[in-house]
């Protein structure tokens, strides 16, 4: 303990997971030092400037600095040398084979070996292959240091809320060191949530299994939506009816252009490679991955048909480029995957996203970034909504119609109001919504009652 009270915690890495973890633990009364290798990022954080787009994170940083419970340093060793608990929030990107690349993690762990205090607990919060906690223990070669796996379940755009109001906390110890796991559980003592103490292999598998299940669920609902279009059913009513079943629920049942982001694509491939490495087959997961790639192609098919069958030279407006609303993250965005396919057929792409202020090398190379949705629509023969930013519902769609060279709007998120677009003289097409119904729905009553759907 230090003079401020609370556990002395070092968080290594100031990305989405690291900065959220550092800020939230400081708010729970711990003394936290967060380290990063980027001097400019460290300087900005020391000034109280949030370096990620995440609701609530700026307030946590400012409050933590003001209370003296949160600090930022350059380099892992500087943060870890006086910590009781060291939390690793490091990148584990997809490697060349599809397996997680642990180069950064292993390098940092090796570099910390001789600075950790006796009795320290090293916590891996990064998403890693099963067995990594034991690998970390071997690399440290410090019998006086505990190693624990404590996977994160944070969603970009609601990471702070998810950290402070978790569904569960999973903590797995490497070996049989329950004391280390219990000390980590103590960090979350102020949170009212179930805590699962297990072994590190199970904890690591829980993270992969959860993410891969969610990805499979999304691929499933996208395929159901495709069937709805063929069979004149409505995906909104189908998922609503499914969601009333307590065994199923409503989460991750919204169709879209495909799933993406920093987690699901790499985690699904990583678990598939993990299965292959032990001689096991996982055809369901492989099908979920293939279905997601196919979904991108189905969206392009809709656009091609909407513009008359040939995308060569067709100007297309893209509304939304991030992988989902509420974040500025472009990593593995389905919007950009679809943009690549459109550009490969010769389409001219004009894009607008409220978080993308200019070209991003390696990400938006195929898209000309515009300052507003109205500029993106100028002269376009079709508009595609690819990210469900709330502001897109509030656009003046009559004004959009006046700028377009065509009439087609393809809403890959079922985010827009079809009636509003029809009144603006536009041709609306959603996902899993039959043309005969135009996707227009009767609102669901708050407490029971019959729901009637026109058409």
């Amino acid at each position: 303990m230090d003079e401020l009270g609370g556990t002395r915690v070092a968080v290594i890495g100031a990305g989405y997971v690291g900065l959220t973890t550092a800020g939230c633990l400081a708010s729970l009364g711990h003394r936290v030092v967060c380290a990063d290798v980027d001097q400019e990022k460290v300087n900005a954080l020391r000034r109280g400037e949030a370096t990620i787009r995440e609701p609530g994170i700026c307030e946590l940083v400012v409050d933590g600095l003001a209370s003296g419970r949160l600090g930022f340093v350059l380099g892992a060793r500087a943060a870890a040398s006086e910590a009781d608990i060291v939390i690793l929030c490091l990148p584990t990107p997809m490697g060349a084979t599809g397996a997680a690349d642990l180069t950064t993690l292993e390098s940092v762990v090796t570099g910390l070996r001789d600075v950790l205090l006796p009795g320290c607990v090293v916590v891996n919060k990064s998403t890693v292959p099963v067995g990594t906690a034991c690998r970390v223990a071997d690399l440290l070669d410090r019998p006086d240091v505990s190693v624990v796996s404590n996977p994160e379940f944070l969603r970009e755009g609601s990471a702070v809320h998810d950290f402070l109001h978790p569904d569960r906390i999973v903590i797995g110890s490497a070996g049989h060191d329950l004391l280390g796991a219990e000390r980590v559980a103590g960090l979350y003592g102020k949170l009212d949530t179930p805590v699962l103490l297990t072994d590190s292999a199970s904890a690591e598998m829980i993270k992969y299994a959860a993410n891969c299940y969610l990805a499979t669920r999304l691929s499933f609902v996208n395929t159901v939506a495709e069937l709805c279009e063929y069979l004149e059913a409505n995906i909104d009513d189908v998922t609503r009816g499914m969601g009333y079943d307590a065994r199923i629920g409503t989460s991750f049942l919204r169709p879209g252009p495909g799933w993406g982001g920093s987690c699901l694509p790499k985690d699904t491939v990583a678990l598939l490679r993990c299965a292959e490495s032990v001689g096991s087959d996982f055809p369901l997961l492989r099908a979920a991955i293939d279905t997601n790639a196919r979904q991108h192609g189905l969206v392009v098919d809709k656009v091609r048909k909407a513009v008359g069958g040939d995308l060569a030279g067709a100007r297309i407006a893209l509304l939304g480029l991030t992988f989902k609303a509420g974040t500025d993250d472009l990593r593995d965005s389905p919007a950009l995957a679809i943009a690549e396919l459109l550009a490969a057929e010769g389409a001219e792409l004009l894009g607008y996203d409220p978080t993308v202020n200019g070209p991003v090398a390696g990400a938006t190379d195929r898209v000309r970034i515009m300052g507003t949705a109205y500029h993106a629509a100028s002269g376009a023969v079709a508009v595609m909504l690819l990210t469900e930013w709330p502001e897109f519902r509030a656009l003046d769609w009559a004004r959009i119609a006046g700028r377009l060279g065509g009439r087609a709007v393809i809403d890959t998120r079922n985010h827009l109001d079809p009636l509003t677009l029809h009144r603006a003289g536009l041709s609306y097409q959603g996902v899993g919504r039959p043309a005969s119904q135009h996707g227009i729905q009767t609102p669901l009553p708050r407490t029971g009652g019959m729901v009637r759907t026109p058409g």
Side-chain angles (χ1 to χ4, degrees):
M1 302 290 184
D2 64 15
E3 66 276 7
L4 289 175
T7 305
R8 296 177 298 180
V9 180
V11 175
I12 313 303
Y16 283 94
V17 174
L19 187 56
T20 301
T21 298
C24 288
L25 288 179
S27 77
L28 294 175
H30 303 294
R31 179 69 180 270
V32 183
V33 178
C34 183
D36 202 90
V37 295
D38 186 332
Q39 182 70 69
E40 290 186 10
K41 180 185 291 187
V42 170
N43 291 342
L45 290 168
R46 285 172 174 170
R47 294 191 299 266
E49 301 170 6
T51 52
I52 60 172
R53 181 189 176 98
E54 196 65 49
I57 196 68
C58 188
E59 292 83 354
L60 285 178
V61 171
V62 170
D63 292 348
L65 291 170
S67 69
R69 292 191 176 279
L70 181 60
F72 298 94
V73 299
L74 184 68
R77 291 170 64 89
S81 61
E82 297 182 358
D84 302 308
I85 296 178
V86 177
I87 303 178
L88 306 176
C89 301
L90 298 166
T92 54
M94 187 188 301
T97 65
D101 183 349
L102 302 181
T103 302
T104 300
L105 176 69
E106 294 181 348
S107 175
V108 169
V109 167
T110 303
L112 293 179
R113 182 189 298 130
D114 63 341
V115 302
L116 298 175
L117 294 175
C120 176
V121 182
V122 174
V123 182
N124 184 37
K125 195 168 272 293
S126 306
T127 302
V128 293
V130 176
T132 300
C134 293
R135 169 66 175 159
V136 169
D138 290 341
L139 287 173
L140 287 174
D141 194 22
R142 288 280 302 269
D144 59 336
V145 171
S146 301
V147 177
V148 166
S149 175
N150 175 215
E152 52 85 14
F153 300 98
L154 307 179
R155 298 166 298 170
E156 290 185 34
S158 59
V160 171
H161 178 273
D162 291 347
F163 191 103
L164 297 175
H165 303 87
D167 295 322
R168 77 289 202 196
I169 293 168
V170 176
I171 303 170
S173 59
H176 302 284
D177 183 12
L178 290 180
L179 179 60
E182 289 171 350
R183 288 176 62 193
V184 174
L187 293 176
Y188 306 98
K190 292 184 178 181
L191 304 180
D192 182 18
T193 191
V195 176
L196 172 62
L197 298 182
T198 182
D199 59 273
S200 58
S202 297
E204 291 161 344
M205 178 58 85
I206 287 168
K207 176 57 188 284
Y208 274 117
N211 275 359
C212 291
Y213 173 74
L214 295 176
T216 301
R217 191 169 162 111
L218 288 170
S219 286
F220 174 83
V221 78
N222 278 335
T223 302
V224 172
E226 180 188 1
L227 288 174
C228 284
E229 293 180 12
Y230 283 116
L231 302 174
E232 287 289 300
N234 192 301
I235 190 62
D236 299 328
D237 287 340
V238 171
T239 54
R240 185 182 297 170
M242 292 172 63
Y244 276 125
D245 190 327
R247 300 168 300 175
I248 298 174
T250 59
S251 65
F252 282 74
L253 276 185
R254 293 191 63 182
W259 39 266
S262 63
C263 294
L264 297 189
K266 75 180 183 68
D267 290 355
T268 48
V269 175
L271 188 58
L272 196 60
R273 296 294 173 265
C274 177
E276 292 171 352
S277 72
V278 296
S280 178
D281 194 15
F282 206 149
L284 178 62
L285 184 56
R286 186 180 302 106
I289 296 169
D290 293 344
T291 298
N292 194 52
R294 180 173 177 271
Q295 185 70 9
H296 302 158
L298 291 176
V299 171
V300 171
D301 289 344
K302 288 186 177 186
V303 183
R304 188 187 305 107
K305 183 178 180 181
V307 301
D310 188 0
L311 285 166
R315 177 176 287 190
I316 310 294
L318 310 181
L319 300 187
L321 300 173
T322 56
F323 85 94
K324 70 172 187 176
T327 178
D328 57 0
D329 198 343
L330 295 169
R331 288 176 291 179
D332 277 306
S333 170
L336 297 180
I338 290 166
E340 285 288 334
L341 295 176
L342 292 169
E345 294 194 33
E348 178 189 359
L349 306 177
L350 281 64
Y352 168 73
D353 187 288
T355 68
V356 181
N357 298 319
V360 179
T364 65
D365 300 338
R366 298 293 200 124
V367 183
R368 182 159 31 125
I369 304 300
M370 310 302 290
T372 70
Y374 302 104
H375 287 110
S378 294
V381 294
V383 174
M384 297 182 68
L385 185 140
L386 291 164
T387 311
E388 69 282 20
W389 288 104
E391 70 178 66
F392 293 151
R393 287 183 64 90
L395 290 172
D396 182 342
W397 282 96
R399 182 181 172 191
I400 293 280
R403 287 174 169 263
L404 288 175
R407 300 287 93 186
V409 176
I410 296 92
D411 180 3
T412 71
R413 300 279 186 170
N414 289 351
H415 181 63
L416 303 174
D417 176 27
L419 187 57
T420 297
L421 271 68
H422 283 297
R423 287 171 175 167
L426 297 170
S427 172
Y428 173 88
Q429 185 175 4
V431 178
R433 291 173 163 179
S436 62
Q437 295 182 14
H438 304 299
I440 301 170
Q441 295 290 289
T442 300
L444 188 67
R446 298 181 69 87
T447 53
M450 182 178 291
V451 181
R452 296 188 183 277
T453 305

